[in-house]
Amino acid sequence: MRLQIAQIGEQVLREQAGELSREEILSAKIQALIEHMRDTMRNAPGVGLAAPQVGVPLQLAVIEDREEYHRKLGAAQLHERQRQPIPFHVIANPRIVSADKSSLEFFEGCLSVAGYAAIVPRAPAVTVEYMNEQGESKRVEAIGWYSRILQHEIDHLAGVLYVDRMRTYTLTTLENLERYWKDLRTTDVLAKLKPQVENRGH
Ligand code: ZN
C-alpha cells in the first residue's frame, strides 16, 4: 500500500519522533507500516523514507539504494559520491555514535520537499547503532552515499530537514538541477551560484 508523503510545512516533520520497543517493532502494526513504507519509497522512488514522512512520529526509517537508480549517473559521478547499491533494510531507534569530522558536499533532495534539491554538507563516514526489523541490535560503519542517506533519515527522526543544513543559495528546482547543474563538480556549482551581491543580513 502506498502512503501519502507529508510535505514541508506539516508539523509532524518537525517533531522529535518516539522510540520503539523491541515488542513494538515486532508487532503486526509496525510490520505492516514497514511494508507500506517500503512500497511508498519504491513508488516515489526514493532511497530512504522515515516514518514522520508518512505522518507517524516514530523512530523508524527504511533505506534502499537500487542499482537501477544509478543508471542516470555517470561512472565518475558514482565514484565521486561513493554510491553503491544498498539492499533494503530498516533502521529503528538509530543513533550516530561517531562521525567523520570532515564533510563532503553534494546535491541532495527529499521526498518531503518535493521538486527541489540543494547542496548539503555531510560527514563522509558515520557509525550508526540501530535495531533492525527483527528488533535485533545492529551496528554499521557507513561510508559515501550510504553515510549521507543515514544522516538524512536520522535527521528526519529528530524533526530536522536538509533545508536546515543546506547551502541556501544552491536551492534549485529538480528541473533546473537537470538542466544546469547535475554534471558540474560541487566546487564549480558553489562558485557559480554564490550570490554576487553583498548579503545585507535579510
Ligand atoms: Zn527526506
Side-chain angles (χ1 to χ4, degrees), residues 53 109-112 152-153 156:
Q53 292 182 273
C110 177
L111 296 175
S112 293
H152 180 115
E153 299 312 323
H156 271 302

Coordinates of all heavy atoms in Angstrom, one line a residue, residues 53 109-112 152-153 156, ligand 1:
Q53 N 7.6 11.1 7.8 CA 7.2 11.5 6.4 C 5.9 10.9 6.0 O 5.3 11.4 5.0 CB 8.3 11.1 5.4 CG 9.6 11.9 5.6 CD 10.6 11.5 4.5 OE1 11.3 10.5 4.7 NE2 10.6 12.2 3.4
G109 N 18.2 15.7 -2.2 CA 16.7 16.1 -2.2 C 16.0 15.3 -1.2 O 16.6 14.5 -0.4
C110 N 14.7 15.5 -1.1 CA 13.9 14.9 0.0 C 12.5 14.7 -0.6 O 11.9 15.7 -1.1 CB 13.9 15.8 1.2 SG 12.9 15.1 2.6
L111 N 11.9 13.6 -0.3 CA 10.5 13.4 -0.8 C 9.5 14.3 -0.1 O 8.4 14.5 -0.6 CB 10.1 11.9 -0.6 CG 10.9 10.9 -1.4 CD1 10.5 9.4 -1.0 CD2 10.8 11.1 -2.9
S112 N 9.9 14.9 1.0 CA 9.0 15.8 1.7 C 9.3 17.3 1.3 O 8.6 18.2 1.9 CB 9.2 15.7 3.2 OG 8.7 14.4 3.6
H152 N 20.6 11.7 6.6 CA 19.4 12.4 6.2 C 18.2 11.7 6.9 O 17.3 12.5 7.5 CB 19.3 12.2 4.7 CG 18.0 12.8 4.1 ND1 18.1 13.9 3.2 CD2 16.7 12.5 4.2 CE1 16.9 14.2 2.8 NE2 16.0 13.4 3.4
E153 N 18.1 10.4 7.0 CA 17.0 9.7 7.6 C 17.0 9.9 9.1 O 15.9 10.2 9.7 CB 16.9 8.3 7.2 CG 16.8 7.9 5.7 CD 15.7 8.7 5.0 OE1 14.7 8.9 5.6 OE2 15.9 9.1 3.9
H156 N 15.5 13.2 10.0 CA 14.1 13.2 10.0 C 13.5 12.8 11.3 O 12.4 13.3 11.7 CB 13.5 12.2 8.9 CG 13.4 12.8 7.6 ND1 12.6 13.9 7.3 CD2 13.9 12.4 6.4 CE1 12.6 14.2 6.0 NE2 13.4 13.3 5.4
Ligands
ZN1 ZN 13.9 13.3 3.4

